[in-house]
Amino acid sequence: MNNIFKTVSAFLFAGALLTSCSPDEFKGADQNGIPSLEGMDFDLTIDASTNQMTAAVTNLPKGAYPIWYLDTDGDGDYDGADNTDQYSTLQSISKVFAKKGTYNIMLKIGNRNGFSTGGIEKSFTIENDMLDEKTLKQLCDKQWRIDYSKPAHMGCGEPGTDGTGWWSAAPNDKADWGVYDDRISFTMDGAYTYNPGEGGTVYVNTGCSIFSEFNTNDGNDFMATVAEQTTRYEIVMEGSDRYLVLSANTLFPYISADGQYANPRFRIEDLTSKQMVLVYEGDGINWHFILTSTDDVPVEEPSFKGYKYDSPCNKWLSTSFTMSYFYAHGDGWESYPDGSIGFTDNGNGKYNVSLPYESNMQWQAQVVFHTDMVTNAVTNYDFSVKFTSNSDAKGVTVKLTSEASDDVYYFADRIDLKADETYIFYYDNMQGLDIDAVKFVLDFGGVPAGTEVEVAEIVLKEHDCDDGAGHPSDEPADNTPYAYDTEDNLWKAVDATECEMSFFYAHGDGWESYPEAPGFVHNGNAYTITLPGETNMQWQAQVAFLTNLSCGEAEVYDFGCIMTPNTDLKNVTVKLVMNGDDNTYFFANSVNLEADTENVIKFPAQVAPAAMPRISLFFDFGGNPADTEIVVKDIVFKKTVQ
């Protein structure tokens, strides 16, 4: 059983104002809604050292996606009548050209109403033919493996494309299929070796007839037991493309079809000393593979495993609690009968929650502990709990709040649980709140029917009470900011324009609006925000950047910035979210800022839960004193280097 760790000091989302919503109804294509290319452009770069072309678009309109057409043989067209052969629909594409010449690339955009009229076309020149000796040096004398950390490390798509349009694997998507421990290697004299790894298996498509004795014949792919194999390989030039050709009947980490095994021939899309992208052109389908030669270094588990349940410090041990439940489904929130959610106290701090039916959205499967625990504003607290689910359960809500008011809470988080993996969730050194009765709320809305979740070892303790578990905050923080002025910082495009902004500014228990928005000055890569009046609670002092940045599902990004306030600020919310959908976000974190100090904010390797046509960045300073000023500078948003 694996462990997943949640490491935050106070992680919040816009749960103070809870609403429900339903998907937009699609009533058919709208001719007036066809996307326009007005104001659109894309970046095109050529790496002369590797013959690699890279094209990327970042200012897609909301709801649109790119359609790339690529002239791969230098004849000036796109290998299809009337440009009917699209090459890729990824946000950015790269291709290595083996032959010198001038080539063309065209960008169109599409949405649910159709495709843009015309396209944006650019030409580029490859100066040199790719030398075989250089290719061999990049390829040989190292171990290659499927790069499970990359989106689209395996995928499939239409013929003539890069093989990602129909399906692409999210990071670690195929961890249970014995493919990530496989290794392939090449030697300068033409030998190719396939090693099936510790599992001793090769991953095979269910439609294959080879290795039929291992086929489960249930419509699912299967793993076949095989031995290490050494055969031959060669690099073959065909027009402007290079192909990796293996001997007949040669193994590869994934066998997509009988033809791939019988005649393995892969188009080399990209090749450096550390990355190789291959496309197998099958019968009516292309398959996409990303491999890496970097070491597969196991991720070390943090030493912190939650606070100690059986410690005298744990306030939960002496609490009395009662339970309440809410269970519904559908857009109409139809209620299930009382008692439909199962709850069992298994003793020793372990509780079991049974969810026999499906639910569709947040807050439709609530399990609430009503306790008599008391906290106060002059004491800081720590919290931890462990979850183990029998199924993948996305968007589980975890909230520690006041019985008297849901708007007074320590945290309101949404987490993803993976089947049969223990998730250790904790907060360290939370600023205390005056609460006469603490309420612990769990919501499993949207999880599959038949989900069983163990909730174990709940701990709420005073921060200064030593239970022997230590604190995650004892580990030294990384206070080195991300470099701002780099080519991969996508936020520089936002700083170069006057970004569309949104503000909300209110105060008091009645949320009385201030007549004017917060003060806001943009100067290059710095933004000065002034809040002349005080606010009282979260979400009362919002500043939002409504950018034209976009991302694809499961893409991984680093985010960072530097924030300098003129006064101490607690629980400042930083949220990177899909524009128009508050529940689809990279993160919704809370940070504490020290006065007159450059506070470095870094959230590395954040995974997009869905494709986002537009990305918004929210800062909320709710709870600030009067005459607050904050400078936010050097915002960085870049793809994570794996």
Side-chain angles (χ1 to χ4, degrees):
M1 180 178 299
N2 296 324
N3 292 311
I4 299 177
F5 293 82
K6 181 71 173 180
T7 316
V8 289
S9 60
F11 182 92
L12 305 172
F13 78 114
L17 304 174
L18 302 176
T19 61
S20 64
C21 61
S22 59
D24 293 335
E25 182 180 358
F26 181 53
K27 299 180 180 179
D30 177 5
Q31 186 71 23
N32 296 321
I34 291 176
S36 170
L37 290 169
E38 184 177 356
M40 293 288 300
D41 197 6
F42 64 91
D43 296 326
L44 181 67
T45 58
I46 306 297
D47 186 340
S49 66
T50 62
N51 281 12
Q52 177 173 290
M53 178 280 305
T54 300
V57 58
T58 59
N59 62 335
L60 284 171
K62 182 179 181 180
Y65 57 88
I67 309 166
W68 299 101
Y69 299 83
L70 190 58
D71 166 23
T72 57
D73 52 16
D75 63 0
D77 63 31
Y78 299 99
D79 299 327
D82 300 321
N83 298 335
T84 55
D85 290 343
Q86 72 182 51
Y87 186 77
S88 179
T89 56
L90 296 178
Q91 297 288 109
S92 64
I93 63 171
S94 296
K95 182 174 176 61
V96 172
F97 287 79
K99 187 177 180 181
K100 65 182 178 182
T102 298
Y103 302 86
N104 297 320
I105 184 172
M106 179 187 290
L107 169 68
K108 295 187 176 185
I109 58 175
N111 62 17
R112 64 183 184 177
N113 297 301
F115 309 107
S116 60
T117 301
I120 302 171
E121 189 172 24
K122 297 184 181 183
S123 63
F124 57 94
T125 300
I126 301 298
E127 299 290 347
N128 301 296
D129 289 331
M130 185 66 70
L131 300 177
D132 284 346
E133 181 180 358
K134 182 176 182 178
T135 300
L136 292 176
K137 287 181 178 179
Q138 291 172 325
L139 190 67
C140 295
D141 299 325
K142 59 194 70 173
Q143 296 284 318
W144 294 92
R145 59 181 176 84
I146 296 290
D147 191 353
Y148 56 80
S149 67
K150 295 287 183 66
H153 60 271
M154 297 172 64
C156 62
E158 293 181 348
T161 73
D162 64 348
T164 59
W166 290 341
W167 169 78
S168 61
N172 214 36
D173 201 2
K174 295 297 181 180
D176 297 331
W177 291 91
V179 63
Y180 297 150
D181 64 344
D182 293 8
R183 298 292 183 267
I184 63 175
S185 59
F186 306 85
T187 65
M188 298 291 285
D189 60 1
Y192 165 88
T193 298
Y194 166 83
N195 185 316
E198 292 183 7
T201 60
V202 64
Y203 183 23
V204 185
N205 190 303
T206 184
C208 293
S209 62
I210 56 173
F211 305 115
S212 58
E213 65 272 26
F214 300 100
N215 196 333
T216 53
N217 297 311
D218 58 0
N220 294 316
D221 293 349
F222 60 95
M223 293 180 285
T225 301
V226 295
E228 183 174 292
Q229 180 189 38
T230 297
T231 60
R232 305 292 296 174
Y233 79 94
E234 58 180 336
I235 304 297
V236 176
M237 296 285 296
E238 186 173 307
S240 65
D241 288 319
R242 290 176 299 169
Y243 285 84
L244 168 65
V245 180
L246 308 179
S247 301
N249 302 325
T250 290
L251 296 167
F252 187 78
Y254 179 65
I255 300 178
S256 63
D258 290 343
Q260 179 196 318
Y261 178 68
N263 296 291
R265 183 174 180 272
F266 302 90
R267 188 174 74 235
I268 301 175
E269 287 285 283
D270 183 20
L271 179 61
T272 68
S273 61
K274 293 184 178 180
Q275 177 171 282
M276 175 165 48
V277 180
L278 303 177
V279 174
Y280 171 68
E281 300 168 319
D283 184 10
I285 184 171
N286 278 9
W287 288 89
H288 183 268
F289 304 98
I290 301 177
L291 298 100
T292 180
S293 63
T294 59
D295 292 336
D296 188 10
V297 179
V299 177
E300 293 185 5
E301 293 186 348
S303 58
F304 184 74
K305 299 183 182 298
Y307 301 103
K308 290 188 176 181
Y309 174 77
D310 57 359
S311 167
C313 295
N314 185 11
K315 296 170 68 68
W316 191 270
L317 292 177
S318 58
T319 189
S320 297
F321 63 85
T322 59
M323 302 297 300
S324 67
Y325 312 94
F326 177 80
Y327 205 14
H329 64 103
D331 293 342
W333 289 67
E334 296 84 5
S335 295
Y336 288 117
D338 290 344
S340 295
I341 292 180
F343 180 83
T344 305
D345 186 341
N346 297 318
N348 199 28
K350 296 181 179 179
Y351 312 98
N352 192 74
V353 177
S354 300
L355 302 157
Y357 309 124
E358 69 172 358
S359 53
N360 307 91
M361 59 188 74
Q362 189 184 24
W363 304 116
Q364 286 190 341
Q366 299 180 38
V367 177
V368 183
F369 296 78
H370 304 270
T371 83
D372 59 3
M373 291 188 298
V374 177
T375 63
N376 61 75
V378 298
T379 304
N380 283 15
Y381 295 90
D382 304 324
F383 179 89
S384 68
V385 61
K386 300 177 182 179
F387 299 100
T388 307
S389 173
N390 69 340
S391 65
D392 288 347
K394 294 184 178 296
V396 173
T397 302
V398 187
K399 184 173 183 179
L400 194 69
T401 182
S402 168
E403 189 70 58
S405 172
D406 287 335
D407 292 336
V408 178
Y409 56 90
Y410 283 102
F411 52 80
D413 200 355
R414 297 187 75 180
I415 63 175
D416 294 340
L417 306 181
K418 289 189 176 181
D420 303 319
E421 294 184 350
T422 297
Y423 192 120
I424 302 177
F425 175 97
Y426 59 83
Y427 284 80
D428 184 67
N429 203 21
M430 301 181 297
Q431 183 177 7
L433 299 170
D434 287 325
I435 297 178
D436 292 331
V438 172
K439 182 169 64 174
F440 182 42
V441 181
L442 301 174
D443 173 66
F444 302 95
V447 307
T451 295
E452 301 270 343
V453 182
E454 182 185 78
V455 182
E457 300 184 17
I458 303 171
V459 177
L460 178 65
K461 59 179 284 290
E462 295 183 3
H463 179 72
D464 291 336
C465 187
D466 184 6
D467 66 353
H471 296 278
S473 57
D474 293 339
E475 300 174 5
D478 179 6
N479 289 319
T480 304
Y482 291 126
Y484 171 82
D485 194 15
T486 60
E487 292 184 1
D488 58 352
N489 181 13
L490 302 176
W491 194 270
K492 290 197 300 182
V494 178
D495 289 341
T497 65
E498 292 303 320
C499 179
E500 180 183 356
M501 302 295 299
S502 176
F503 304 91
F504 180 81
Y505 196 21
H507 63 102
D509 294 341
W511 290 67
E512 295 86 3
S513 294
Y514 281 112
E516 296 181 355
F520 182 81
V521 177
H522 173 204
N523 183 15
N525 63 333
Y527 302 86
T528 301
I529 301 160
T530 52
L531 302 165
E534 69 175 6
T535 58
N536 307 86
M537 58 188 74
Q538 189 188 27
W539 302 116
Q540 287 188 341
Q542 300 180 39
V543 177
F545 296 75
L546 311 181
T547 81
N548 287 319
L549 300 177
S550 61
C551 67
E553 183 175 1
E555 291 182 349
V556 186
Y557 291 85
D558 298 331
F559 175 88
C561 64
I562 298 174
M563 303 174 71
T564 307
N566 65 347
T567 184
D568 289 344
L569 294 175
K570 300 291 186 182
N571 296 331
V572 172
T573 302
V574 186
K575 183 175 182 179
L576 196 65
V577 60
M578 180 191 293
N579 189 11
D581 182 356
D582 286 340
N583 291 322
T584 302
Y585 50 83
F586 281 97
F587 57 81
N589 288 359
S590 179
V591 297
N592 296 329
L593 304 180
E594 184 178 345
D596 302 319
T597 299
E598 290 194 339
N599 298 268
V600 176
I601 310 301
K602 296 172 69 174
F603 305 126
Q606 301 295 310
V607 180
M612 299 185 192
R614 290 186 68 187
I615 296 172
S616 295
L617 171 63
F618 278 77
F619 293 104
D620 174 65
F621 305 97
N624 67 280
D627 298 321
T628 293
E629 179 179 286
I630 311 102
V631 176
V632 181
K633 70 174 185 178
D634 292 356
I635 303 175
V636 173
F637 180 64
K638 64 184 180 70
K639 279 198 169 182
T640 301
V641 178
Q642 303 288 347

